[in-house]
Amino acid sequence: MDRLRLLLVSTPVGPLGSGLGGGVELTLLNLGQELRRRGHDVTILAPAGSVLGDLPVVGVSGPLQPTAHTQGRDTPIVLHQDGVLGRMWDTARQHQDAYDLIVNFAYDWLPFYLTPFFQTPVAHFVTMGSLSDAMDGAVRQVADQFPGRLGAYTRTQAETFGCGAAFKILSSAIDLSCYQFCPTPGQAVAWLGRISPEKALEDALAATEMAQIPLKILGKLEDEAYWQSLGQRFPQAADSYLGFLPTQALQAIVGQCRALVMTPRWVEAFGNVAIEALACGVPVIAYDRGGPAEIVRSGTTGWLVPPDDIAALAEALTRIEALDRVACRQQAETEYSLPALGDRFEAWFQAMLGTSPPMAEPRP
Ligand code: HBI
């Protein structure tokens, strides 16, 4: 594939490296590094203060965008008049001639709406499932006007928008060299993720209490009130919390665990934490919902249990020894390596640029 000049535009909810961007931070880091390794020219456009490995980042200042994942279906579009979201996309507009392709990673209305306003093709990697009617409308507009310009982590996630066939399914990946296989775990199981209601940490606390298995909690403490309420119900929660750790420290702790417990209350678009665990040889016990349901091979690299069924989760925790830690690492190497990710994204870019549709006229 010939060398592309790529602009990857980040989430406006926080600087890269703050953890506020959740899984999309890891996706951007891994994708950016892999595309550059393949010889493409990669530039990241992100809120001021962003750091992403050694990738070149253009920082844009301005008030951050409120997060979408805690809002309801009828939430109206919110846009600061001089916010970082508008300013990032004005920067992209000004410099678009320097790029062959612009890929948006923000889960926000504006970049989808602006797609026909750009001469340089704009593609969208959608990082969450359907959350609001306004965003669904923006996504469907691009599906209609620019077929082929939508990417997603998983089929389940894409289907939540009602136009799943319009998406290229790209899955995710991690740098496997950062994760060590651990054949002999200790007693505890792990829970990883943003501590926020839609991740339902309470179910993991309840199930491990029932199964009498120690739990290690890691991740960004995003919703303080929610954490306090958990502490009231589960006194052991505070001692189980090990903080938001960089990958090296995180994988050392997770690798020692017998399993990762995933309790998504919402349709998790992917669940990077699942492939981080698999890379360490750690099986995943998860609700049969969203991304984790497309990752876990139930019975081999984990168990899928009926969603929101805490008793089933506790029961699955008693069957961890039946799972195969070597198979977990092998699945990560086959499906979730950086070369596999690079192949999928290059195929998507080729499909868009090789036969990019004529510039559609914006609807009157
Ligand atoms: N909210 N408004 C908004 N925009 C985003 O890009 C965004 C978000 N909430 C969460 C989020 N991105 C990421 O954590 C997920 O994309 C992974």
Side-chain angles (χ1 to χ4, degrees):
M1 178 170 198
D2 48 4
R3 173 188 167 86
L4 293 176
R5 300 167 301 160
L6 300 165
L7 180 65
L8 310 184
V9 188
S10 183
T11 171
V13 297
L16 288 166
S18 69
L20 289 171
V24 76
E25 294 194 22
L26 200 59
T27 299
L28 270 171
L29 174 64
N30 290 325
L31 178 64
Q33 288 180 331
E34 178 59 18
L35 290 171
R36 194 172 58 175
R37 190 184 66 81
R38 288 163 178 246
H40 298 295
D41 177 30
V42 177
T43 304
I44 311 284
L45 182 58
S50 291
V51 174
L52 197 68
D54 55 0
L55 288 161
V57 178
V58 174
V60 176
S61 59
L64 295 174
Q65 183 72 14
T67 187
H69 67 267
T70 55
Q71 289 158 10
R73 295 222 58 85
D74 52 359
T75 303
I77 297 300
V78 170
L79 199 59
H80 289 283
Q81 78 270 15
D82 65 351
V84 70
L85 179 60
R87 294 169 80 167
M88 282 202 297
W89 282 92
D90 192 43
T91 303
R93 176 190 61 79
Q94 290 175 46
H95 300 280
Q96 61 180 300
D97 297 345
Y99 301 101
D100 302 305
L101 178 67
I102 299 170
V103 189
N104 167 51
F105 287 80
Y107 190 93
D108 289 281
W109 174 84
L110 184 66
F112 290 83
Y113 179 74
L114 291 177
T115 307
F117 289 64
F118 276 71
Q119 286 71 47
T120 298
V122 176
H124 301 275
F125 184 77
V126 181
T127 58
M128 295 189 282
S130 164
L131 286 177
S132 71
D133 297 339
M135 269 306 288
D136 288 6
V139 168
R140 289 204 191 106
Q141 178 107 3
V142 171
D144 294 344
Q145 282 187 351
F146 297 93
R149 296 274 193 87
L150 294 172
Y153 286 117
T154 58
R155 173 61 56 204
T156 320
Q157 172 209 355
E159 296 298 348
T160 63
F161 293 97
C163 53
F167 285 78
K168 174 96 172 171
I169 304 308
L170 294 153
S171 187
S172 185
I174 49 177
D175 179 350
L176 293 173
S177 68
C178 299
Y179 299 81
Q180 271 67 49
F181 173 71
C182 170
T184 52
Q187 278 311 307
V189 296
W191 186 94
L192 288 183
R194 280 182 295 108
I195 298 180
S196 181
E198 75 278 3
K199 304 275 187 177
L201 172 54
E202 63 272 18
D203 288 12
L205 283 158
T208 48
E209 199 171 60
M210 281 169 77
Q212 295 292 310
I213 295 176
L215 176 67
K216 292 185 176 180
I217 302 169
L218 300 105
K220 180 93 181 165
L221 221 179
E222 188 172 85
D223 184 326
E224 190 58 43
Y226 170 63
W227 176 246
Q228 291 308 322
S229 72
L230 287 182
Q232 257 105 55
R233 277 178 61 190
F234 302 96
Q236 74 274 30
D239 300 338
S240 312
Y241 181 53
L242 302 177
F244 171 59
L245 302 178
T247 302
Q248 173 49 35
L250 176 124
Q251 66 87 36
I253 291 171
V254 170
Q256 296 286 330
C257 291
R258 291 169 55 213
L260 173 72
V261 180
M262 293 188 76
T263 51
R265 195 71 82 214
W266 66 341
V267 172
E268 187 81 46
F270 186 73
N272 273 317
V273 297
I275 61 177
E276 292 186 287
L278 292 176
C280 299
V282 177
V284 178
I285 297 177
Y287 286 153
D288 190 359
R289 170 186 277 156
E294 292 185 31
I295 296 168
V296 175
R297 293 178 189 153
S298 202
T300 312
T301 61
W303 293 113
L304 292 174
V305 303
D308 310 321
D309 185 339
I310 291 171
L313 204 53
E315 194 276 332
L317 283 165
T318 65
R319 287 185 286 131
I320 295 174
E321 274 53 44
L323 301 170
D324 180 345
R325 291 177 77 90
V326 172
C328 292
R329 173 72 192 193
Q330 282 168 343
Q331 180 180 357
E333 288 175 357
T334 311
E335 299 180 38
Y336 306 118
S337 69
L338 293 183
L341 182 79
D343 290 345
R344 295 190 287 261
F345 267 85
E346 277 195 336
W348 184 33
F349 296 164
Q350 184 65 47
M352 282 188 280
L353 298 178
T355 58
S356 53
M359 185 60 69
E361 289 309 307
R363 290 211 183 106

